[in-house]
Amino acid sequence: MKIFVASTTGTHTFRARPVDPAGRPGWFVRVYSAFAGWRLTRLISRHIAWKLDPLLLRLTRGRLATTLIFPTAVLETEGARTKARRRNAIIYFMDGEHFVIVASNAGSTANPGWYYNLLANPDVVFGGAPMRAAVIENEAERRRLWTIADRVFPAYIPYRQEAGRAGRTVPIIQLTPRNTL
């Protein structure tokens, strides 16, 4: 699916991978998610893959990241304190015309840095398209989105459980193309 996003700087094309939110994940998705849930894999994700993925996505025009089969795009935020441009590869899914991302941080006890950046400045760039970020606070909406998120990336389940044991609630963020606001 291609999403065309118009902005004051031109039209951006974002190629969103289709995800069947109602379908059960296939065996390969479940196996790869189980692998993503291993302690060593999460450590690699937090300390190495997040640096490598934006480069891989740029070199392959958004086709390849260490997440392999999961829809992934680069989220560009402005540093909350430094105002420097920050790039992070994020797994996403579509909910209607909105992109949804999760600040899981692989189940860490703390939210990822990009989450605080988008709280400070909700105007972000996702997959090259200008977006506006909003944290989902409504509990019914969060439950609905978690149902979809868990089908897209089943490793969110153990990530959420581990974060919950540490007292952290994993945020869900909705991204809306800025031209539709």
Side-chain angles (χ1 to χ4, degrees):
M1 163 192 331
K2 282 187 182 178
I3 306 291
F4 295 97
V5 180
S7 73
T8 56
T9 59
T11 301
H12 302 275
T13 303
F14 182 79
R15 187 179 302 268
R17 282 179 158 176
V19 174
D20 179 9
R24 182 172 185 251
W27 70 270
F28 189 72
V29 168
R30 292 190 313 269
V31 168
Y32 196 75
S33 288
F35 172 71
W38 291 354
R39 187 174 303 273
L40 177 61
T41 309
R42 288 190 314 234
L43 184 72
I44 291 169
S45 173
R46 285 185 203 137
H47 298 286
I48 297 171
W50 75 272
K51 292 180 183 179
L52 183 61
D53 279 342
L55 177 63
L56 280 173
L57 286 164
R58 186 176 38 194
L59 291 174
T60 64
R61 294 186 175 174
R63 291 184 182 96
L64 179 67
T66 59
T67 55
L68 293 181
I69 57 174
F70 301 107
T72 306
V74 174
L75 173 70
E76 296 180 39
T77 59
E78 182 179 284
R81 289 185 306 247
T82 65
K83 305 297 183 209
R85 181 60 72 195
R86 306 283 187 219
R87 291 176 181 84
N88 294 277
I90 308 291
I91 294 173
Y92 70 90
F93 63 91
M94 297 296 299
D95 182 42
E97 62 186 42
H98 304 284
F99 294 86
V100 180
I101 60 176
V102 175
S104 70
N105 205 13
S108 177
T109 59
N111 290 319
W114 61 260
Y115 174 71
Y116 298 106
N117 292 342
L118 70 77
L119 287 179
N121 183 2
D123 288 332
V124 299
V125 174
F126 188 66
M131 303 277 177
R132 179 97 177 158
V135 178
I136 303 299
E137 302 288 343
N138 179 288
E139 198 53 44
E141 182 67 359
R142 284 178 51 79
R143 278 193 303 276
R144 184 184 75 78
L145 291 172
W146 274 125
T147 301
I148 300 168
D150 293 344
R151 288 182 182 137
V152 171
F153 186 56
Y156 283 143
I157 297 166
Y159 290 178
R160 237 176 15 259
Q161 291 168 343
E162 188 169 327
R165 284 192 292 273
R168 180 170 80 94
T169 300
V170 176
I172 298 178
I173 299 97
Q174 183 180 67
L175 301 174
T176 304
R178 278 191 248 161
N179 67 319
T180 62
L181 295 175

